């Protein structure tokens, strides 16, 4: 069955080998992976997600304009034995836009951000962990809260909200962003050729106790700590200020909680001139207020439609190659608008399988020189701190911020980032 590509267009037009827009989520189990059981679990999991078993194709409309489309791809999802991800879109991944890897006590999903986002990938991982753990540990494992193979797939999972009529919206006015400190051009130390990831653990109970006492949220708090860290390193930045891009799930705003597509936007959090000199409590209140303003339902939904309409205008170019050329500048625009990114999808919610999982990490291709992905699982916040710097000046400042508010942390490991490359799907 062929189906049109709508929400996925922006990433498909933008992406190339230099900017792969791919993500990896890694789950670390309590025991070594039993390979045969994992392979069986993956085969069963794939049957639950036909909308992710697709191959990218190209068609032309009546006016001769090219368009991407998806076709069913019955080939099995690839499970690579080893830590390295396979290339997506090409032969190594059976032309899928997601693949898997396992080694020692870890299993990872590698996916293209245009196919889905962290919310969608979490769903796949929840099913996979259920299927694996019921084989490995408990045949009667509860499947409560898990999307199960064999169940009826509701049409709401397939429906792309961008294919529906645009509603009437009453978005709140959002103040314009100030000039951002650009850590690609203005970092205080040289940049690496390849990103490094530092995995940091923080006790969930300790962090959540702090969040409740201070009427904030994990993502907003971490965004503030990152902004303060940048401000530590750049105390004399003039009119430029730290601006954090905080990932936001748009599904609630567009009334599509089950949608399978990549339905994400961002909240932009500037540490403006009047905030850095305020006390920490006032800064928290300010960031929480900015988050609530930009997360207003109509405001977030308006942003969704603005993005869709922007890609519609790019679609007026006749060829896919021309649209890629038009979108190339997106990387530079994101680098100049904000300083870094924070992403927190929420608690992993692996259900009964969670007792067999120790940690979970997310690492991503990024246009920024600094960012953090946060997962919460089995009583632990797992922070993947990603940097493009040759020294730890920004990392040290961030860890100092954690310490100052009384959060204990453990730096578990550091290594070069591992995310999938993409084949040249424009051939």
């Amino acid at each position: 069955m062929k189906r049109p590509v709508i929400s996925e267009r922006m990433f498909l037009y933008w992406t190339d080998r230099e900017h792969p827009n791919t993500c990896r989520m890694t789950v670390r189990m309590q025991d070594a992976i039993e390979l045969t059981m994992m392979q069986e679990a993956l085969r069963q999991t794939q049957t639950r997600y036909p909308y992710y078993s697709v191959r990218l194709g190209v068609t032309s409309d009546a006016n001769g304009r090219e368009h991407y489309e998806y076709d069913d791809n019955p080939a099995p999802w690839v499970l690579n034995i080893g830590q390295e991800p396979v290339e997506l879109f090409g032969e190594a991944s059976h032309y899928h836009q997601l693949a898997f890897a396992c080694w020692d006590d870890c299993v990872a999903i590698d996916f293209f951000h245009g196919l889905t986002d962290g919310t969608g990938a979490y769903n796949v991982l929840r099913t996979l962990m259920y299927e694996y753990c019921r084989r490995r540990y408990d045949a009667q494992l509860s499947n409560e809260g898990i999307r199960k193979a064999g169940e009826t797939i509701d049409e709401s999972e397939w429906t792309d909200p961008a294919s529906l009529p645009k509603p009437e919206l009453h978005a709140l006015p959002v103040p314009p962003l100030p000039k951002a400190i650009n850590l690609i051009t203005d970092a205080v130390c040289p940049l690496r050729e390849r990103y490094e990831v530092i995995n940091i653990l923080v006790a969930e109970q300790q962090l959540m106790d702090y969040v409740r006492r201070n009427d904030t949220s994990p993502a907003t708090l971490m965004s503030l700590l990152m902004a303060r860290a940048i401000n530590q390193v750049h105390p004399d930045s003039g009119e430029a200020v730290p601006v954090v891009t905080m990932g936001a799930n748009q599904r609630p705003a567009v009334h599509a909680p089950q949608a399978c597509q990549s339905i994400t936007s961002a909240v932009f959090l500037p540490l403006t001139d009047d905030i850095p000199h305020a006390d920490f409590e006032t800064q928290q209140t300010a960031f929480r207020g900015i988050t609530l303003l930009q997360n207003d339902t109509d405001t977030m939904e308006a942003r969704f439609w603005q993005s869709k309409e922007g890609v519609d205008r790019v679609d007026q170019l006749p060829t896919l190659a021309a649209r890629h050329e038009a979108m190339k500048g997106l990387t530079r625009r994101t680098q100049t608008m904000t300083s870094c990114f924070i992403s927190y999808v929420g608690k992993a919610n692996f259900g009964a399988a969670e007792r067999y999982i120790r940690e979970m990490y997310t690492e991503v291709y990024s246009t920024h020189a600094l960012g953090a992905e946060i997962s919460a699982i089995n009583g632990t916040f797992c922070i993947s701190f990603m940097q493009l710097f040759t020294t730890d000046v920004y990392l040290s400042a961030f860890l100092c911020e954690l310490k100052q508010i009384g959060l204990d942390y453990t730096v578990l490991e550091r290594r070069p980032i591992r995310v999938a490359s993409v084949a040249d799907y424009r051939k």
Side-chain angles (χ1 to χ4, degrees):
M1 180 180 72
K2 297 182 184 297
R3 58 188 171 94
V5 170
I6 306 175
S7 286
E8 300 90 343
R9 292 173 300 167
M10 187 270 286
F11 283 102
L12 287 168
Y13 294 163
W14 175 18
T15 299
D16 51 32
R17 286 184 178 274
E18 185 180 357
H19 309 111
N21 286 307
T22 55
C23 311
R24 164 169 279 201
M25 289 180 169
T26 301
V27 172
R28 187 181 178 205
M29 308 295 292
Q30 68 175 19
D31 299 305
I33 300 296
E34 207 293 322
L35 181 57
T36 299
M37 291 181 179
M38 184 60 73
Q39 290 169 329
E40 292 171 354
L42 184 60
R43 282 194 291 270
Q44 189 76 351
T45 298
Q46 185 174 1
T47 67
R48 177 56 182 79
Y49 297 95
Y51 41 74
Y52 294 147
S53 290
V54 292
R55 179 169 179 165
L56 189 66
V58 178
T59 187
S60 297
D61 62 22
N63 297 315
R65 286 196 296 267
E66 296 177 335
H67 302 282
Y68 287 121
E69 65 179 4
Y70 282 143
D71 198 1
D72 293 341
N73 185 352
W77 286 345
V78 170
L79 178 64
N80 189 46
I81 313 305
Q83 298 184 29
E84 291 305 310
V86 301
E87 185 180 66
L88 303 182
F89 285 91
E91 184 177 359
S93 61
H94 295 168
Y95 300 95
H96 286 293
Q97 295 176 41
L98 78 172
F100 298 78
C102 69
W103 67 96
D104 301 334
D105 54 357
C106 295
V107 60
I109 177 174
D110 296 291
F111 62 97
F112 175 58
H113 211 310
L115 178 71
T116 192
D117 50 23
T119 299
Y122 259 145
N123 285 329
V124 175
L125 272 179
R126 289 181 186 119
T127 304
L128 179 62
M129 288 296 96
Y130 164 73
E131 292 292 346
Y132 175 73
C133 290
R134 75 180 182 88
R135 289 169 170 81
R136 182 78 161 86
Y137 299 108
D138 180 2
Q140 303 304 314
L141 191 71
S142 171
N143 57 28
E144 184 178 357
I146 305 299
R147 294 184 175 183
K148 303 174 292 296
E151 66 184 359
T152 301
I153 302 173
D154 193 271
E155 187 64 27
S156 63
E157 292 184 34
W158 290 85
T159 302
D160 188 337
S163 68
L164 303 176
K166 178 183 176 181
E168 182 179 347
L169 300 170
H170 303 281
L172 297 175
V174 176
L177 287 176
K179 180 181 178 181
I181 296 172
N182 186 334
L183 296 184
I184 295 289
T185 58
D186 300 327
V188 298
C189 59
L191 301 183
R192 299 173 177 270
E193 290 187 4
R194 186 180 180 189
Y195 285 89
E196 180 185 36
V197 59
I198 298 95
N199 289 325
I200 304 163
L201 306 183
V202 175
E204 180 179 7
Q205 187 65 52
Q206 189 181 44
L207 192 148
M208 291 309 298
D209 285 347
Y210 181 92
V211 163
R212 294 186 188 101
R213 287 196 310 270
N214 292 275
D215 190 28
T216 183
S217 70
T220 304
L221 174 62
M222 290 297 169
S223 296
L224 175 57
L225 298 184
M226 190 73 88
R228 284 170 57 90
I230 296 171
N231 199 58
Q232 274 190 52
V233 181
H234 294 263
D236 302 312
S237 57
E239 63 177 3
V241 301
V243 181
V244 181
T245 298
M246 185 174 76
N249 177 12
Q250 289 178 304
R251 286 172 179 80
V254 299
H255 315 289
Q258 306 302 322
C260 69
Q261 295 82 14
S262 187
I263 313 292
T264 58
S265 184
V267 170
F268 303 104
L269 298 167
L271 195 66
T272 50
D273 290 342
D274 53 335
I275 298 179
H277 305 295
D279 59 71
F280 192 74
E281 183 177 347
T282 301
Q283 291 180 342
Q284 286 184 141
T285 301
F287 262 47
R288 185 65 171 154
I290 298 169
T291 301
L292 290 172
L293 172 64
Q294 294 186 41
N295 265 329
D296 167 74
T297 298
D298 274 18
T299 303
M300 187 61 71
E301 188 171 11
R303 188 169 288 167
F304 172 84
W305 288 105
Q306 287 166 3
S307 176
K308 190 260 182 185
E309 290 162 357
V311 182
D312 285 346
R313 290 190 290 273
V314 176
D315 257 359
Q316 298 310 303
L317 296 169
T319 66
L320 297 172
R323 292 171 212 161
H324 175 54
E325 287 298 317
M327 294 290 284
K328 276 185 176 180
L330 188 58
T331 297
R332 186 175 180 279
R333 289 199 296 275
T334 59
Q335 290 171 348
T336 56
M337 279 181 59
T338 59
S339 308
C340 67
F341 75 92
I342 288 280
S343 179
Y344 172 55
V345 175
K347 285 181 66 66
N349 292 329
F350 282 104
E354 191 155 326
R355 72 192 73 166
Y356 306 110
I357 299 171
R358 297 174 62 180
E359 295 141 23
M360 179 176 173
Y361 301 101
T362 303
E363 50 200 299
V364 301
Y365 161 80
S366 174
T367 59
H368 293 90
L370 179 63
E373 290 276 352
I374 307 167
S375 304
I377 187 167
N378 204 13
T380 303
F381 271 87
C382 305
I383 304 171
S384 295
F385 185 98
M386 285 158 283
Q387 64 175 5
L388 202 58
F389 309 116
T390 56
T391 76
D392 284 342
V393 59
Y394 296 97
L395 172 64
S396 297
F398 176 71
L399 296 177
C400 179
E401 292 294 332
L402 288 175
K403 187 174 181 179
Q404 283 186 12
I405 63 169
L407 294 181
D408 301 321
Y409 61 84
T410 301
V411 177
L412 193 68
E413 69 165 345
R414 59 189 307 165
R415 55 170 173 76
I417 198 170
R418 286 192 291 262
V419 293
S421 59
V422 294
D424 185 1
Y425 55 84
R426 293 190 176 85
K427 287 181 179 177

